Amino acid sequence: MSVNGRAPLERVVITGMGWVTPLGDDLETVWQDLLDGKSGAGPITRFDVSDYPTRIGAEIKDFKPEDYIEKKTIRRLDPSEQYAVVASQKAYDDAGLADASIDLERAGVIIGSGIGGITTFETQHKKLMAGGPGRVSPFFIPMMISNMCAGVVGMRFNFQGPNYATVSACASSSHALADMFHYIQRGDADLGLAGGAEATITPTSLAGFCSARAMTTRNDDPLSASRPFDKDRDGFLMGEGSGMMVLESLTHAKKRGAKIYGELCGVGVTCDAYHMTAPRPDGAGARRAMSLAIADGGLQATDIDLVNTHGTSTGLGDIAETKAVKVVFGEHANSLLVNSTKSMMGHLLGSAGAVEAIATIKSLQTGQVHPTINLDEHDPECDLDYVANTSRTVKISHALTNSFGFGGHNVSLLLSRYDGE
């Protein structure tokens, strides 16, 4: 299919993946942990949380940026930027790009972040209050602004194509993948690194989400705190980290003999235009995003085998998304597998979409679907097959992964198994 007289649209494939997550940063080890239903939750250890209603989260543990970044440079990067660099390096290496012949002017970087360098903001604000403006670091602004994840990664690999940040709360990294998909599909880039990074387990961020009463307070049992679609869920569990993918035109990937994990076939992007933090109760925005993604990929609803949900473990969100799935798929909804990566990873906010897209691609590649853990008794209004507590082995061909953000932002990505055709 051509667009406005231009060349036919390129197919877009995934040739590299990397992540930094509460379960670790090795692609295959973390994937096995997800299949095993392992949770990355625990008490927050980074600062004193004794006065907070929520005292648990899914922190990054044993992170060693010095394995990838010079120590001098580490001091000049916010944790979100460090996560982005490491996940990007892993994806870059996984795709074999170091030995590839690349037109660097046709290689881009788009990295979403919902909040950006809030650790840096808090640290430098303390210095300002204690010692005046002269104490604020000259690196404060580049360490804090959300676009610098993409800027730093672009400089690291000398990628000179499209480079910017997407900021749409918890849909940020899915918007990044959608944008890179369109650049490559139109022929405006050959490949790109796309995904998200977030490091928001900080005093101010945690306080804000606690005040919004959006988070779980199951402090005595963190491993079971994130429980999407369960009748006893009481809010989301905050996580942090980064997920990055190498998206590439099929033509370019074949030419350089790249391994191919799967294909990004379509995207759907909508807005609820309803409320700053709550979804439309009937899930209309989510429904349209899923329908648009399926249509964009030239498929029918009955072609879809799996939906990796936004699935945050919030009362309104889980019900609205379930309603949306049932409307989109009709009777086929009863045959779908539906799961939530957040049950184990927690909610990685702006980086959640990319991390969950990686998990979805692994399902398509391996024929294994990770469970939704802590689903002991379904909410009566959440009555789909959520792959409760135990993984499944089943061949799947097409899957959706959903991301929804404060402000009413909705993104659905259509991912497909690649069989060499």
Side-chain angles (χ1 to χ4, degrees):
M1 181 174 66
S2 62
V3 177
N4 296 328
R6 301 180 65 169
L9 294 177
E10 290 277 358
R11 291 171 64 183
V12 180
V13 294
I14 295 94
T15 58
M17 303 191 295
W19 52 16
V20 175
T21 81
L23 290 171
D25 60 16
D26 179 75
L27 182 63
E28 297 303 329
T29 301
V30 173
W31 173 238
Q32 187 59 55
D33 286 344
L34 290 174
L35 292 176
D36 293 341
K38 183 177 179 180
S39 172
I44 291 174
T45 61
R46 202 165 293 155
F47 53 93
D48 183 8
V49 294
S50 56
D51 292 334
Y52 287 76
T54 295
R55 298 185 292 278
I56 57 177
E59 293 180 317
I60 298 294
K61 310 169 190 72
D62 302 320
F63 180 59
K64 298 179 180 178
E66 62 273 14
D67 291 346
Y68 296 89
I69 311 170
E70 293 182 359
K71 290 184 177 181
K72 179 180 179 181
T73 302
I74 292 172
R75 294 194 296 271
R76 298 177 179 178
L77 297 177
D78 183 80
S80 63
E81 295 165 358
Q82 295 175 31
Y83 298 158
V85 168
V86 173
S88 295
Q89 186 69 61
K90 287 178 173 292
Y92 180 92
D93 293 343
D94 187 42
L97 294 180
D99 300 320
S101 178
I102 300 171
D103 183 346
L104 297 172
E105 294 182 357
R106 291 180 54 80
V109 181
I110 306 176
I111 302 178
S113 184
I115 298 180
I118 192 168
T119 298
T120 296
F121 192 95
E122 291 182 15
T123 300
Q124 296 304 316
H125 185 261
K126 288 178 182 177
K127 291 183 177 181
L128 174 66
M129 294 295 99
R135 295 292 305 276
V136 174
S137 168
F139 298 103
F140 167 47
I141 298 301
M143 290 174 69
M144 181 269 296
I145 52 180
S146 297
N147 66 292
M148 201 52 65
C149 288
V152 169
V153 170
M155 287 182 277
R156 183 180 183 90
F157 301 114
N158 197 22
F159 282 8
Q160 299 168 39
N163 186 298
Y164 56 88
T166 48
V167 182
S168 52
C170 305
S172 296
S173 59
S174 290
H175 269 123
L177 290 165
D179 281 8
M180 187 61 74
F181 167 76
H182 285 133
Y183 279 112
I184 296 169
Q185 186 187 52
R186 293 194 307 257
D188 294 331
D190 294 327
L191 60 86
L193 280 157
E198 204 79 272
T200 55
I201 301 181
T202 72
T204 305
S205 178
L206 184 67
F209 280 110
C210 284
S211 293
R213 298 181 180 179
M215 299 181 64
T216 177
T217 56
R218 196 182 287 261
N219 297 306
D220 296 333
D221 190 10
L223 294 179
S224 68
S226 183
R227 43 196 320 111
F229 310 107
D230 187 85
K231 76 175 185 64
D232 291 328
R233 67 193 183 282
D234 68 334
F236 79 86
L237 179 82
M238 188 186 294
E240 59 182 351
S242 176
M244 294 297 299
M245 284 183 165
V246 175
L247 301 185
E248 189 167 356
S249 75
L250 179 59
T251 301
H252 194 271
K254 282 185 171 181
K255 184 176 180 180
R256 70 180 187 88
K259 74 173 180 296
I260 296 173
Y261 283 108
E263 185 170 0
L264 177 52
C265 298
V267 304
V269 177
T270 67
C271 179
D272 279 355
Y274 172 74
H275 190 275
M276 284 194 295
T277 59
R280 284 187 177 271
D282 62 358
R287 170 184 56 76
R288 290 191 300 114
M290 286 186 278
S291 294
L292 287 169
I294 294 167
D296 192 35
L299 299 180
Q300 302 295 319
T302 51
D303 295 320
I304 307 303
D305 305 301
L306 168 68
V307 177
N308 186 317
T309 62
H310 188 56
T312 55
S313 188
T314 57
L316 294 176
D318 290 359
I319 292 172
E321 189 169 11
T322 296
K323 289 179 178 178
V325 169
K326 292 168 76 171
V327 172
V328 171
F329 294 99
E331 288 297 321
H332 183 60
N334 298 319
S335 304
L336 279 173
L337 296 181
V338 181
N339 65 355
S340 171
T341 308
K342 292 181 181 70
S343 65
M344 292 169 280
M345 292 281 197
H347 192 349
L348 276 61
L349 303 181
S351 61
V355 167
E356 291 158 16
I358 292 173
T360 305
I361 282 291
K362 290 300 293 180
S363 286
L364 288 159
Q365 180 200 21
T366 65
Q368 296 173 290
V369 179
H370 74 64
T372 302
I373 67 168
N374 301 321
L375 183 45
D376 299 327
E377 185 175 349
H378 286 54
D379 182 312
E381 295 188 71
C382 299
D383 54 355
L384 300 173
D385 181 354
Y386 302 104
V387 194
N389 300 314
T390 304
S391 64
R392 306 266 183 91
T393 299
V394 56
K395 184 177 182 179
I396 58 176
S397 298
H398 307 287
L400 293 178
T401 181
N402 293 334
S403 297
F404 312 135
F406 282 1
H409 311 293
N410 306 302
V411 182
S412 189
L413 305 176
L414 173 61
L415 298 163
S416 296
R417 190 177 70 243
Y418 180 74
D419 293 323
E421 299 177 359

